[in-house]
Amino acid sequence: MAVDELQAIIQRCQVLEEADFKGEDFNLFQVAGQKCLEDGYAAQLLEVIQNEKNKVIIKNMGWNLICPLVRCILVYKQEDDKREHCLKILDQLSQLCNPKELFLGLLEQIEQTSGEQVCQTVMLLLQPLQTVLLKLQNKKAYSVGLSLAMIMNQLTPLPVPYTKQQIQEDKLGLCQCCNAVVDFAKPFVNEVVKNMEKSSEYNDMELKEELLKFCMKSLKYPLLTAQLEQLEGIEEHPFRRFATEIIDILWNIRELIPLVVLGHKGKSPHWENEEFADIERKNSADSLACLSYLVFVQHFELFFLTYHTTDLFESCLLKMEDNSLLHQYLEFRDFINVPQVLVKVMTLCPMEHLRKKSLNILQLFIDKFEAEGKYTLFRCLLKTSNHAGVEGYIIKNIKDQIHLSLTKACDNIWFTGHHLISLLDLVLLLPEGAETDLLQNSDRIMASLNLLRYLVIKDCESDNQTGVWTMLAKIEQNFLKPLHVGLNMSKAHYEAEIKNKKENKREAQSSKTICSVTVSGEKMPAMTTEMQLQVLHSALFTFDLIESVLARVEELIEVKIKGGMDENS
């Protein structure tokens, strides 16, 4: 039995000093360990590796298991317990093995992989490879450079997904793998940045040069041929994220400006062979052309500059007290531009974490202003954001301020009375009347209905602190009635679409046939009839939700008016 053979070798080696291990011991350990993995005894092998008594043996011999270990992990299915045991073994080896030996073993595995297994193998080994590299004391820069070069050389022959469908399928895993490689490089980027911050005369340029080479290679492949336009339906475009990360590395290691402005990178290798020199110049020219396209055409520099600027801005805001900024600051163009820039990042940036960060900073910015400043900001953003999600978010903020005004002892004139009425004029209406695209504006509409429901519940007609009862006729005319008409029109349109799709389903030979549908005036990507029906039913669900809240609001208004009349009679 494989486990017995392994135990016999382990017992024999336990009594030996580290210096007495022979080549035969290494071979026997590798064969027995491999047999354990192949025969399905990964759990037992894991126990052997975790045993403290075997620490010295694993340190010296464990790296020999990398090859069979990777082979088994790639064969097992995700949910298989044996795969989980193999992954734990890999993690243990990265912690226990001699870093130099394990580094060579991992690199050898990456070099030997090919075809469809390239990205799977690279992504599997990135974490242990990073762990080992961080432990290396000597030749770290060389080892990091060798790792990145090997990885990129293995990825380069793979076709770059270009169409939306190819990017979404990511058949070979290239999109995911590229971004995983960037994450792998981050600790080494941080090391360079930390060293540059310590001394303005940072002389250890080797690691920086290796990172620069990686960025230049990445610009040539995959970015030079990648589809970088924002694609509808892909929330976080993988190659746009990758491009942003590469530019971010160049910025952090202080190479972006020289590359963009001066058009050259740091050291270039000296080639005796002129043919090699020509190839180097061609590759460099391709990379610089791609970088120029990203910066001057795709405007990627706006996102990374915003990211670093927002870090600083967030830090400043956190040091300030809430409600401490006077509204007069908004008379300065720089102050009023801040929320508008944040809104652009929130709605246009391809990277989800940057969008969320900008949203958090926008809220911080709002919180720092006193009541009149908040009021001014809300008016400005409602008029300029042109985005239903942002408008919905601002309307929720308005509701929160009204709640504070109604529940606090102090009188806040900006979110009650005639000032609030002026603000509600911007909120409680449909932008294009009954013709408004309700699906596109659903976030704004739901936030407006929730605000109106709150006002009707909290503010009695006799008190009328908010002024909502004064403007009820206008609200009905500009908001409630057009919303009823719009809902009826929209539901009729979508129900007709659903009926039409169901009738044509047989002719389309069930759900396998690919066709298209137009929603909100835009042609949707190719999808099956079944998928289209799901989208249409989802739209109807949204309309039903809006309709139920609208009915509740009107019911509350009727009850309040009737209650007021009974009190007066």
Side-chain angles (χ1 to χ4, degrees):
M1 186 178 174
V3 177
D4 294 334
E5 291 176 20
L6 180 65
Q7 288 289 5
I9 297 159
I10 290 291
Q11 286 170 11
R12 173 181 146 184
C13 292
Q14 278 178 344
V15 298
L16 297 175
E17 293 294 326
E18 189 173 348
D20 295 331
F21 291 152
K22 298 176 182 177
E24 182 186 358
D25 299 323
F26 284 82
N27 292 335
L28 289 171
F29 176 84
Q30 182 180 6
V31 171
Q34 180 174 332
K35 204 164 187 308
C36 284
L37 289 167
E38 291 172 349
D39 291 353
Y41 296 111
Q44 289 84 342
L45 178 58
L46 177 60
E47 287 179 14
V48 169
I49 290 170
Q50 289 176 328
N51 190 328
E52 188 69 22
K53 293 179 182 177
N54 304 327
K55 196 171 181 180
V56 175
I57 299 170
I58 302 305
K59 176 189 171 186
N60 288 274
M61 302 184 190
W63 67 273
N64 284 299
L65 297 176
I66 292 296
C67 178
L69 192 59
V70 169
R71 193 160 58 241
C72 289
I73 292 171
L74 295 179
V75 169
Y76 291 135
K77 293 181 179 177
Q78 287 282 346
E79 63 276 8
D80 198 319
D81 287 342
K82 294 188 186 73
R83 187 178 193 274
E84 190 59 36
H85 290 137
C86 288
L87 289 171
K88 287 180 179 177
I89 291 171
L90 182 60
D91 179 62
Q92 285 290 304
L93 294 179
S94 69
Q95 304 296 333
L96 300 173
C97 288
N98 179 299
K100 183 180 175 183
E101 300 294 342
L102 186 58
F103 168 68
L104 294 173
L106 293 169
L107 224 54
E108 184 180 12
Q109 276 305 115
I110 292 172
E111 185 180 24
Q112 289 177 355
T113 188
S114 61
E116 295 184 0
Q117 290 191 334
V118 168
C119 291
Q120 293 179 60
T121 305
V122 169
M123 285 190 286
L124 175 65
L125 299 181
L126 281 175
Q127 185 58 57
L129 185 58
Q130 185 189 73
T131 302
V132 170
L133 286 168
L134 290 169
K135 288 181 179 180
L136 290 177
Q137 298 300 321
N138 299 321
K139 295 189 175 180
K140 179 190 276 190
Y142 170 78
S143 301
V144 169
L146 187 61
S147 303
L148 290 169
M150 181 72 72
I151 290 166
M152 294 308 292
N153 287 342
Q154 290 296 84
L155 296 180
T156 301
L158 302 179
V160 178
Y162 191 80
T163 67
K164 178 181 174 181
Q165 185 177 349
Q166 288 171 345
I167 291 170
Q168 286 177 319
E169 287 179 356
D170 195 17
K171 195 173 181 181
L172 296 177
L174 182 64
C175 300
Q176 188 181 353
C177 190
C178 285
N179 285 297
V181 174
V182 167
D183 291 337
F184 163 82
K186 283 181 179 177
F188 311 110
V189 176
N190 293 338
E191 186 176 327
V192 171
V193 171
K194 190 176 178 182
N195 287 330
M196 287 193 298
E197 286 174 350
K198 281 182 183 176
S199 171
S200 58
E201 297 179 4
Y202 173 57
N203 293 319
D204 184 11
M205 303 298 287
E206 288 185 18
L207 184 55
K208 179 179 174 180
E209 282 293 327
E210 296 300 342
L211 292 169
L212 178 55
K213 287 177 191 174
F214 163 65
C215 290
M216 296 297 282
K217 284 183 180 179
S218 299
L219 288 165
K220 182 171 171 60
Y221 176 93
L223 293 176
L224 188 64
T225 56
Q227 161 64 273
L228 292 169
E229 298 295 332
Q230 189 64 55
L231 298 172
E232 186 184 347
I234 299 182
E235 187 172 348
E236 188 165 19
H237 192 313
F239 287 127
R240 286 181 69 84
R241 184 197 164 210
F242 183 63
T244 306
E245 296 283 10
I246 292 298
I247 291 176
D248 199 41
I249 292 174
L250 290 171
W251 171 266
N252 283 324
I253 65 174
R254 302 178 188 174
E255 287 292 334
L256 182 66
I257 302 303
L259 285 171
V260 173
V261 178
L262 304 176
H264 65 75
K265 62 187 182 73
K267 294 179 185 175
S268 293
H270 176 71
W271 299 103
E272 297 292 339
N273 187 313
E274 190 58 35
E275 187 179 342
F276 287 165
D278 288 340
I279 293 171
E280 168 70 17
R281 281 193 290 270
K282 172 70 167 62
N283 289 340
S284 182
D286 288 344
S287 300
L288 290 170
C290 180
L291 181 60
S292 296
Y293 170 75
L294 292 175
V295 171
F296 297 118
V297 179
Q298 289 289 334
H299 303 296
F300 272 78
E301 85 286 1
L302 291 177
F303 295 127
F304 84 85
L305 282 173
T306 301
Y307 181 76
H308 292 288
T309 305
T310 51
D311 268 345
L312 179 61
F313 187 52
E314 182 181 34
S315 177
C316 294
L317 288 173
L318 288 169
K319 293 173 184 176
M320 298 173 63
E321 290 185 14
D322 287 352
N323 306 305
S324 61
L325 281 178
L326 301 175
H327 69 277
Q328 286 92 339
Y329 281 109
L330 292 171
E331 294 173 10
F332 297 106
R333 181 177 294 179
D334 288 345
F335 268 83
I336 203 66
N337 281 346
V338 166
Q340 293 173 345
V341 169
L342 290 170
V343 165
K344 283 184 180 178
V345 178
M346 285 159 50
T347 56
L348 299 175
C349 180
M351 298 178 70
E352 185 182 6
H353 70 282
L354 287 184
R355 296 198 299 272
K356 288 180 178 178
K357 186 180 184 71
S358 295
L359 177 63
N360 292 336
I361 293 172
L362 176 63
Q363 188 61 59
L364 269 178
F365 188 68
I366 290 169
D367 292 343
K368 300 310 168 188
F369 279 91
E370 38 78 79
E372 187 175 351
K374 289 184 174 73
Y375 179 89
T376 306
L377 266 178
F378 295 157
R379 289 188 67 90
C380 173
L381 289 170
L382 285 172
K383 289 179 178 180
T384 61
S385 70
N386 297 315
H387 189 279
V390 175
E391 290 165 3
Y393 186 79
I394 295 305
I395 292 167
K396 181 184 177 300
N397 263 272
I398 292 171
K399 175 174 166 287
D400 292 342
Q401 291 304 312
I402 295 170
H403 178 72
L404 287 174
S405 300
L406 294 178
T407 54
K408 285 171 70 176
C410 58
D411 185 26
N412 186 342
I413 63 168
W414 293 100
F415 292 96
T416 55
H418 71 275
H419 287 301
L420 180 58
I421 289 174
S422 175
L423 192 57
L424 292 178
D425 279 338
L426 298 175
V427 172
L428 301 176
L429 84 165
L430 289 183
E432 297 170 38
E435 301 294 324
T436 299
D437 186 331
L438 301 187
L439 202 59
Q440 191 85 17
N441 287 276
S442 59
D443 287 343
R444 178 199 166 103
I445 292 166
M446 285 298 293
S448 299
L449 284 170
N450 283 326
L451 171 58
L452 183 54
R453 178 172 60 179
Y454 172 83
L455 293 173
V456 172
I457 291 171
K458 288 292 182 181
D459 193 13
C460 297
E461 188 178 4
S462 56
D463 295 336
N464 198 22
Q465 288 177 268
T466 62
V468 67
W469 299 101
T470 305
M471 61 181 301
L472 189 58
K474 185 189 282 189
I475 293 170
E476 288 179 344
Q477 185 65 34
N478 294 341
F479 185 47
L480 302 181
K481 286 181 180 177
L483 186 53
H484 268 296
V485 176
L487 282 168
N488 291 335
M489 289 167 56
S490 297
K491 289 178 74 174
H493 171 70
Y494 279 81
E495 284 166 354
E497 280 284 343
I498 289 171
K499 184 180 179 183
N500 184 44
K501 294 297 170 194
K502 286 180 177 178
E503 288 174 355
N504 293 337
K505 195 174 177 183
R506 286 184 184 176
E507 297 174 19
Q509 296 180 341
S510 82
S511 62
K512 291 182 181 178
T513 299
I514 304 295
C515 41
S516 64
V517 65
T518 301
V519 174
S520 300
E522 292 184 15
K523 194 172 183 180
M524 298 183 68
M527 54 174 69
T528 63
T529 304
E530 208 59 55
M531 290 163 67
Q532 291 179 58
L533 284 169
Q534 286 178 9
V535 171
L536 294 168
H537 279 297
S538 176
L540 274 182
F541 176 78
T542 301
F543 299 144
D544 287 341
L545 190 62
I546 293 172
E547 195 168 44
S548 68
V549 179
L550 173 59
R552 177 61 179 149
V553 168
E554 291 182 325
E555 180 187 335
L556 286 167
I557 291 171
E558 187 179 341
V559 168
K560 278 293 186 88
I561 291 175
K562 187 177 179 183
M565 291 171 65
D566 290 344
E567 286 179 12
N568 294 330
S569 60

